[in-house]
Amino acid sequence: MTAAGALDDPVLCDRLVQLQGQVLAMKYHALRLLTCALKGEPAGVAGLIVKLNGCQLNHDLCALALEAMGELGVLYHRAKYERARGAWMYQYLFSLGLIIGGGTAQIQKNIIGERGLGLPREPRGEEKR
Ligand SMILES: Cc1cc2nc3c(=O)[nH]c(=O)nc-3n(C[C@H](O)[C@H](O)[C@H](O)COP(=O)(O)OP(=O)(O)OC[C@H]3O[C@@H](n4cnc5c(N)ncnc54)[C@H](O)[C@@H]3O)c2cc1C
């Protein structure tokens, strides 16, 4: 009998397939943006989601890898039993920083809603009605 691998876990397997779908969606979205750029056309709303989705997707991929590796996944800084030189843990934390840096995910969603989709502006505290 062979030892069970991470892909034998139906929950991890399901999450992997979902992430694979999101990676493919981002890939074809990027190709669409490339086509716009080559034609000299503005990307419009389509360009706004790249930072939001890209950073979150990176983070989710790393989270899944860490979970699949169990307690060994969190090791880095040349720890004795670290995997892949601790790259997944490093990227997990780095991608969290990127979700915040350059405008947090919440701010990005506001920008997409207000400037991209033309939704009403979020009420500002100092605004008089
Ligand atoms: C890795 C990293 C690199 C960075 N590099 C740079 C850099 O090179 N140059 C630079 O100038 N800055 C840099 N920053 C700072 C970064 O731009 C800010 O941390 C980021 O814009 C968030 O601002 P803040 O920390 O003041 O949080 P705040 O704006 O105080 O936000 C705190 C919380 O409130 C939420 N929030 C705030 N306003 C709204 C709103 N209107 N709607 C909904 N939610 C809201 C946020 O989502 C967040 O959860 C970096 C940050 C990180 C993590």
Side-chain angles (χ1 to χ4, degrees):
M1 192 170 143
T2 55
L7 284 180
D8 294 317
D9 180 331
V11 176
L12 289 180
C13 201
D14 187 57
R15 277 175 54 195
L16 180 65
V17 173
Q18 282 185 29
L19 286 172
Q20 190 177 24
Q22 289 177 41
V23 169
L24 281 176
M26 281 300 284
K27 176 182 170 182
Y28 291 112
H29 184 70
L31 290 173
R32 180 162 72 136
L33 294 180
L34 179 62
T35 304
C36 282
L38 291 174
K39 289 181 175 172
E41 294 171 359
V45 187
L48 295 176
I49 66 161
V50 174
K51 196 267 176 185
L52 176 67
N53 279 10
C55 292
Q56 188 63 53
L57 185 53
N58 254 336
H59 194 59
D60 292 346
L61 284 167
C62 295
L64 179 62
L66 290 182
E67 211 169 308
M69 289 187 279
E71 64 266 30
L72 297 182
V74 297
L75 299 175
Y76 74 127
H77 273 318
R78 300 189 189 93
K80 189 173 176 189
Y81 297 106
E82 73 175 4
R83 294 288 185 268
R85 295 184 163 189
W88 291 104
M89 189 60 199
Y90 178 86
Q91 283 299 330
Y92 176 76
L93 294 173
F94 193 74
S95 59
L96 182 59
L98 292 182
I99 288 173
I100 300 167
T104 65
Q106 289 84 359
I107 301 274
Q108 297 296 322
K109 286 176 185 171
N110 273 353
I111 292 170
I112 291 168
E114 293 173 13
R115 299 193 197 162
L117 303 175
L119 294 174
R121 282 185 54 165
E122 157 189 50
R124 303 308 198 250
E126 71 279 8
E127 278 180 5
K128 290 186 182 150
R129 299 196 175 232

